[in-house]
Amino acid sequence: MGLNEVLSEIDNGLEDAMTRLFDLLKIRSISTDPAYKAETRDAAEWMVKELQSLGFEAELRPTPGHPMVVAHHRGEGPRLLFYGHYDVQPVDPLELWTTPPFEPQIEDTPKGRVIRGRGASDDKGQLMTFIEACRAYKAVNGTLPGNLTIFLEGEEESGSPSLIPFMKENAEELTCDLALICDTSMVAPGVPSIAGSLRGMLKDEFTLHGPRIDLHSGHYGGPALNPLREISKLVASLHDDQGRVAVEGFYEGVHEVPQEQIEAWKTCGFDEEEYLSSVGMSEPHGEAGYSALVQQWARPTLEINGLWGGYQGAGSKTVIPAEAHCKITCRLVGDMDPAHVRKVLRKHIEDRLPTDARITWDNDLDGAPAAVMNTDRPEFEAARLALSDEWDREAVITGMGGSIPIAYYFKSILGMDAMLIGFANDDDAIHSPNEKYDVKSFHKGIRSWARILDRIAK
Amino acid sequence: MGLNEVLSEIDNGLEDAMTRLFDLLKIRSISTDPAYKAETRDAAEWMVKELQSLGFEAELRPTPGHPMVVAHHRGEGPRLLFYGHYDVQPVDPLELWTTPPFEPQIEDTPKGRVIRGRGASDDKGQLMTFIEACRAYKAVNGTLPGNLTIFLEGEEESGSPSLIPFMKENAEELTCDLALICDTSMVAPGVPSIAGSLRGMLKDEFTLHGPRIDLHSGHYGGPALNPLREISKLVASLHDDQGRVAVEGFYEGVHEVPQEQIEAWKTCGFDEEEYLSSVGMSEPHGEAGYSALVQQWARPTLEINGLWGGYQGAGSKTVIPAEAHCKITCRLVGDMDPAHVRKVLRKHIEDRLPTDARITWDNDLDGAPAAVMNTDRPEFEAARLALSDEWDREAVITGMGGSIPIAYYFKSILGMDAMLIGFANDDDAIHSPNEKYDVKSFHKGIRSWARILDRIAK
């Protein structure tokens, strides 16, 4: 029995597959918020049961944080590890959701049917494409495909604090010939994409302290240092008027993108105008002189993800607050070193502190360098052909603006290459209100994995 | 019977007076937060009962917002109106309070005994000094002093939206020879102070809108406009590097302080070093070239009271938010026109908007010009002598950094001068966590009013 039967099985079982996905989407596994610790574990247990029902030797593996899910199936062929994460992003601002984030539903939209809900795309919907491919294969062939290890974490959206120690402690068990990861998007709707590189990430956060206590702006407005004004000056100083990061030493390790690469990307199906206009932008706002695609795939960024201080409630409050807060993430490319970026960023801020202000840093935030894939491996060619068959369109090797530290760790800790193939779209609103996953992505994603496993096995 | 008996009555009744104040402080009358609407009304009703028990014709007077309290006692002599407010500021950040804000208590501190709790100073403690003076007078003389009207509002901390219409509708009833207001502080501990001028206030608030939705900083970090970076640039543009407001036209109507006034203030007991160091400042941070006292009393300000956007929760979130928010208040002096200041402020912001950003303004926020008192009236001299007797120290005519729009409205709407005398201290932490009122301020404040009423009656 062969591929065609598996693909038919997938088509016939699509509704059941979506029902299973909905069960998973209903679990509020927000890993970054301690309030959801128990439900995050529930999601892990749901995955274990699911994998056991498919014949995997699956178990929950404790960590100091959220548990890992590890499952094995010993079979023929190259040893493959599939990685995904069962945790999701927070849902605020909740009031902007048109449907409850954890009550998934199918919606008909002008662009087709979508699965709406937190995690529908990132990463529950994507990881289930691989699991459902395995289910269909087994239904047809009576056994799971090849020699598989499934490795799911529950801390991807909160910096993966337990990941490195766990991989080191279980290196032998987790080291396979190749890692498969389904947590990325397609360069354009309908254009199958394999990630050639991923940006790294550096997270930092600081509090600027001014007056000893909150002050009345009538008694102290004028004479007192206002932390909200000072933090604004500091944030404004981080970029120049060309959108370039103004932190001295920030660009160390950044390599200009080769012209032939830029040329190749021009035919990859990326629609800059659609990419920008879909979110209300009329022009790229990053470093002047680079296209939106290059800004996203191949240039580093320093972004403010949270900024706050003072009164945020209803009405007005004449307060000069004692402190102000700022959350920062940098996207890293090439050979940028997260530790170096953190050092120069902190120096930039501290060198600009006014009298009577002081800074405290959050030292619990991590970082990871960029990752460049080994696209010369035969599995990449096999995947490229499999994807081209499924999508009737040449698959492309793309850059990726996101950061998936796991790809870097697989290489640095286990010496294992990774191949990232995902079916998300840029308008999935992952990390935003009203996250969705196209039913087409889910359906053809499952079919794509069936084809990829089939080709790699050959 | 005379003043000395009244003063003894005040001394003997102090503990009971504090018990009554505590009952009032326990009522969470936060007027700016709709969640406390009912309790704000409770405070008004408490005041009505209190005033009726003293023999006033007192009643609750409805408004579209929180009710007014109006009470009359027809007697001999000049007709005096006493104004205060029974509402209080919000209590956030709650975690910085060392005692529950609405569970008042007496604390022994190195600087003496204090009454700790929200509203202890602003304005419940202060307004009760006048009420308790009336109570002692009646206990000794069997009747209330002179010809009194008590007028208390419950919206002072939320912009007094109902005040002007109410005063216009009840102009005849409220127009007296002079208004007495107890909502100000002493220039230095133990230095009795009469306000010669008050700064005005202009409130505004805007939201900066960027991307259509919250974005993932991996997919859009770089190409997307980040509202947190843009709002920081806008806020940073509001002042120059000399601490001067950089908004064109802002200083229209500002008059330089006469040198002789500056000289006079030098002997008023204001301790700049203590004023700054008590809140952790080593130097004045307002306009260069002006002392902290002049910056506070006689110069305008543009302060940020709230600034926020993006993720503020635990951990990290790689989001580029769709919007960012900013709350602003300006303190006005001289002949500055709030409407003009709002116009030039908004123009400054809108002139600096980048492509793909738009601004929405909160149009429900009010403003009032500065107020200059008619200190030539005989009541000011009477009060100066009465205060000097009580505090064994020459009373001083000061400036005031705060804004009490009522003083301006009494003059513009009722043609009535106001005399502001308060017993708060700059370290009372009004509008901040751990607000307090010195027991000495409460006790000698009551005695001061008894002396002032006695002298004005003569």
Side-chain angles (χ1 to χ4, degrees):
Chain A
M1 294 180 288
L3 178 60
N4 289 336
E5 290 80 351
V6 173
L7 296 178
S8 317
E9 175 69 22
I10 290 168
D11 299 343
N12 300 332
L14 182 59
E15 291 308 316
D16 293 345
M18 287 203 280
T19 303
R20 283 184 290 269
L21 173 57
F22 277 31
D23 291 341
L24 176 57
L25 292 177
K26 287 172 187 164
I27 306 173
R28 302 179 295 174
S29 50
I30 303 171
S31 59
T32 199
D33 187 339
Y36 295 90
K37 190 173 195 304
E39 284 193 74
T40 304
R41 184 186 177 85
D42 292 343
E45 283 168 347
W46 187 94
M47 292 303 320
V48 167
K49 285 201 195 67
E50 188 68 12
L51 291 165
Q52 286 170 339
S53 75
L54 288 178
F56 282 96
E57 300 155 20
E59 58 182 4
L60 204 78
R61 302 281 284 268
T63 77
H66 301 295
M68 304 287 180
V69 173
V70 178
H72 299 291
H73 167 70
R74 306 294 178 202
E76 293 308 305
R79 202 175 154 203
L80 302 175
L81 178 143
F82 176 81
Y83 164 89
H85 63 91
Y86 62 81
D87 61 324
V88 299
Q89 278 275 317
V91 295
D92 57 283
L94 188 57
E95 65 276 14
L96 296 187
W97 285 78
T98 55
T99 63
F102 294 105
E103 294 174 23
Q105 39 206 282
I106 299 288
E107 265 178 50
D108 280 306
T109 77
K111 292 179 173 178
R113 294 171 76 214
V114 305
I115 300 161
R116 181 86 61 193
R118 171 58 86 224
S121 178
D122 179 17
D123 180 48
K124 291 172 173 176
Q126 299 238 67
L127 78 86
M128 288 303 288
T129 58
F130 188 87
I131 307 294
E132 293 296 343
C134 293
R135 180 190 308 279
Y137 184 95
K138 187 182 184 190
V140 171
N141 299 288
T143 174
L144 289 162
N147 193 350
L148 285 183
T149 291
I150 308 284
F151 177 38
L152 309 176
E153 76 163 313
E155 299 178 330
E156 199 273 344
E157 302 294 5
S158 51
S160 303
S162 310
L163 185 62
I164 296 177
F166 186 85
M167 285 172 68
K168 287 179 173 168
E169 286 159 23
N170 303 277
E172 196 174 341
E173 177 183 5
L174 295 174
T175 303
C176 299
D177 299 311
L178 179 69
L180 305 176
I181 302 177
C182 189
D183 194 19
T184 50
S185 57
M186 298 188 290
V187 61
V191 180
S193 310
I194 303 172
S197 65
L198 290 158
R199 289 196 291 189
M201 166 102 88
L202 183 274
K203 300 172 185 165
D204 216 340
E205 177 173 339
F206 70 89
T207 298
L208 186 149
H209 306 266
R212 193 171 51 74
I213 56 170
D214 282 7
L215 300 175
H216 182 290
S217 71
H219 290 182
Y220 278 96
L225 182 91
N226 184 331
L228 299 177
R229 283 167 51 188
E230 298 307 325
I231 203 165
S232 297
K233 285 189 221 164
L234 291 174
V235 170
S237 76
L238 292 169
H239 295 80
D240 66 17
D241 59 7
Q242 296 301 300
R244 195 175 156 81
V245 177
V247 174
E248 188 178 351
F250 179 83
Y251 287 93
E252 202 173 297
V254 177
H255 312 301
E256 286 297 325
V257 188
Q259 195 54 41
E260 59 271 27
Q261 177 66 274
I262 291 177
E263 290 308 319
W265 284 342
K266 281 183 178 160
T267 62
C268 74
F270 176 78
D271 181 341
E272 171 162 319
E273 208 246 313
E274 160 62 19
Y275 165 82
L276 291 172
S277 62
S278 66
V279 298
M281 300 288 111
S282 64
E283 62 182 36
H285 291 272
E287 290 172 278
Y290 295 95
S291 71
L293 190 69
V294 174
Q295 287 177 4
Q296 182 202 165
W297 285 359
R299 298 297 302 176
T301 64
L302 191 165
E303 288 297 354
I304 311 302
N305 307 114
L307 184 70
W308 71 99
Y311 184 62
Q312 303 180 25
S316 174
K317 185 180 178 189
T318 54
V319 63
I320 295 178
E323 51 185 49
H325 311 267
C326 182
K327 286 180 188 280
I328 298 172
T329 53
C330 298
R331 298 285 173 171
L332 313 179
V333 302
D335 298 314
M336 292 174 81
D337 169 14
H340 170 75
V341 172
R342 191 188 301 278
K343 191 175 110 250
V344 295
L345 167 63
R346 292 184 172 192
K347 181 177 192 308
H348 177 97
I349 296 293
E350 282 161 3
D351 285 351
R352 285 160 179 75
L353 272 193
T355 312
D356 296 332
R358 92 194 141 77
I359 293 273
T360 52
W361 295 91
D362 180 340
N363 289 317
D364 296 334
L365 298 169
D366 65 330
V372 179
M373 306 305 146
N374 180 3
T375 53
D376 300 335
R377 294 183 56 118
E379 297 89 345
F380 280 77
E381 179 60 10
R384 215 176 53 71
L385 296 171
L387 289 168
S388 305
D389 292 342
E390 174 60 28
W391 297 80
D392 304 317
R393 199 284 187 206
E394 188 77 5
V396 294
I397 306 287
T398 69
M400 282 285 163
S403 305
I404 306 176
I406 186 77
Y408 165 79
Y409 297 135
F410 279 150
K411 188 68 181 180
S412 62
I413 298 173
L414 305 181
M416 175 168 58
D417 286 325
M419 180 162 71
L420 292 91
I421 298 170
F423 309 99
N425 282 300
D426 281 340
D427 65 354
D428 281 358
I430 68 172
H431 294 210
S432 301
N434 307 314
E435 178 176 353
K436 63 87 176 169
Y437 196 44
D438 292 354
V439 171
K440 180 182 177 187
S441 293
F442 187 61
H443 183 190
K444 292 179 79 69
I446 300 169
R447 290 173 53 98
S448 297
W449 283 120
R451 290 181 185 272
I452 292 165
L453 291 171
D454 181 66
R455 277 200 179 260
I456 289 180
K458 285 173 182 165
Chain B
M1 292 183 287
L3 178 61
N4 290 337
E5 290 82 349
V6 175
L7 296 178
S8 317
E9 174 68 22
I10 290 168
D11 298 343
N12 300 332
L14 182 60
E15 291 307 317
D16 293 346
M18 287 204 281
T19 303
R20 284 184 289 269
L21 173 57
F22 277 31
D23 291 342
L24 177 57
L25 292 177
K26 287 171 186 166
I27 306 172
R28 302 179 295 174
S29 50
I30 302 170
S31 61
T32 199
D33 186 340
Y36 295 91
K37 191 173 193 306
E39 284 192 73
T40 304
R41 184 187 177 84
D42 293 344
E45 284 168 345
W46 187 95
M47 291 304 319
V48 167
K49 285 202 195 67
E50 187 70 10
L51 291 165
Q52 287 171 338
S53 75
L54 288 177
F56 281 96
E57 301 156 18
E59 57 181 7
L60 204 76
R61 303 280 284 270
T63 77
H66 301 295
M68 303 288 179
V69 173
V70 178
H72 299 292
H73 167 72
R74 305 296 177 199
E76 295 307 306
R79 198 173 159 207
L80 302 175
L81 177 143
F82 177 81
Y83 164 88
H85 63 91
Y86 63 82
D87 62 322
V88 299
Q89 279 276 316
V91 295
D92 55 283
L94 187 57
E95 65 275 15
L96 296 187
W97 285 78
T98 55
T99 64
F102 294 105
E103 295 172 23
Q105 38 205 282
I106 299 288
E107 266 179 47
D108 281 306
T109 78
K111 291 176 172 180
R113 295 172 75 214
V114 304
I115 300 160
R116 180 86 61 193
R118 172 57 86 224
S121 177
D122 179 18
D123 180 46
K124 290 172 174 175
Q126 299 238 67
L127 77 87
M128 287 304 289
T129 58
F130 189 88
I131 308 294
E132 293 296 343
C134 294
R135 179 191 309 279
Y137 184 95
K138 187 182 184 188
V140 170
N141 299 289
T143 176
L144 289 162
N147 193 350
L148 285 183
T149 291
I150 308 284
F151 178 36
L152 310 176
E153 77 163 313
E155 299 178 329
E156 200 273 343
E157 303 293 7
S158 51
S160 303
S162 309
L163 186 62
I164 296 177
F166 187 85
M167 286 172 69
K168 287 179 172 168
E169 287 159 23
N170 303 276
E172 196 174 341
E173 176 183 5
L174 295 174
T175 303
C176 298
D177 299 312
L178 179 70
L180 305 175
I181 301 177
C182 190
D183 196 19
T184 49
S185 57
M186 298 188 289
V187 60
V191 180
S193 311
I194 304 172
S197 65
L198 290 158
R199 289 196 291 190
M201 166 102 85
L202 183 275
K203 300 172 184 165
D204 216 339
E205 177 172 340
F206 68 90
T207 297
L208 186 150
H209 307 265
R212 194 172 51 73
I213 55 168
D214 283 6
L215 299 174
H216 183 291
S217 71
H219 291 179
Y220 278 95
L225 183 89
N226 184 330
L228 300 177
R229 282 167 51 188
E230 298 307 326
I231 204 165
S232 297
K233 283 189 222 165
L234 291 173
V235 170
S237 76
L238 293 168
H239 295 80
D240 66 17
D241 59 8
Q242 296 301 300
R244 196 175 156 81
V245 177
V247 175
E248 189 177 350
F250 180 82
Y251 286 94
E252 207 172 287
V254 177
H255 312 301
E256 285 297 324
V257 188
Q259 195 54 43
E260 59 270 28
Q261 179 65 84
I262 289 176
E263 291 307 319
W265 283 343
K266 282 185 177 160
T267 62
C268 73
F270 176 78
D271 181 341
E272 171 161 321
E273 208 246 311
E274 159 64 18
Y275 165 83
L276 291 173
S277 62
S278 67
V279 298
M281 299 289 110
S282 65
E283 63 182 35
H285 291 271
E287 291 172 278
Y290 296 96
S291 70
L293 191 68
V294 174
Q295 287 177 4
Q296 184 203 163
W297 285 358
R299 298 297 301 176
T301 65
L302 191 167
E303 289 296 354
I304 311 302
N305 307 112
L307 183 70
W308 73 100
Y311 184 62
Q312 303 179 25
S316 174
K317 184 179 179 187
T318 54
V319 63
I320 294 179
E323 50 186 49
H325 311 268
C326 181
K327 285 180 189 279
I328 298 173
T329 53
C330 299
R331 298 285 172 171
L332 313 179
V333 301
D335 299 314
M336 292 174 82
D337 169 14
H340 170 75
V341 172
R342 192 189 299 277
K343 193 177 108 241
V344 295
L345 167 63
R346 290 184 173 193
K347 182 176 191 308
H348 177 99
I349 296 292
E350 281 161 3
D351 285 352
R352 286 160 178 74
L353 273 192
T355 312
D356 296 332
R358 87 194 146 79
I359 292 274
T360 52
W361 294 92
D362 181 341
N363 289 316
D364 297 333
L365 299 169
D366 66 331
V372 179
M373 305 305 145
N374 181 2
T375 54
D376 300 335
R377 291 182 59 117
E379 296 91 343
F380 280 78
E381 178 61 10
R384 216 176 52 71
L385 296 172
L387 290 167
S388 304
D389 291 343
E390 174 61 27
W391 296 80
D392 305 316
R393 197 297 186 194
E394 188 78 3
V396 294
I397 307 287
T398 69
M400 282 285 163
S403 306
I404 306 177
I406 186 78
Y408 165 79
Y409 296 134
F410 279 149
K411 187 68 181 180
S412 61
I413 297 172
L414 304 182
M416 175 169 58
D417 286 325
M419 182 162 69
L420 293 92
I421 298 170
F423 310 100
N425 282 300
D426 281 338
D427 66 353
D428 280 359
I430 68 172
H431 295 209
S432 301
N434 307 314
E435 177 178 353
K436 61 88 174 168
Y437 196 46
D438 292 354
V439 171
K440 180 181 176 186
S441 293
F442 187 60
H443 183 190
K444 292 178 79 67
I446 301 170
R447 289 172 54 96
S448 297
W449 283 119
R451 290 181 186 274
I452 291 165
L453 291 172
D454 181 67
R455 275 197 181 264
I456 289 179
K458 285 174 181 163

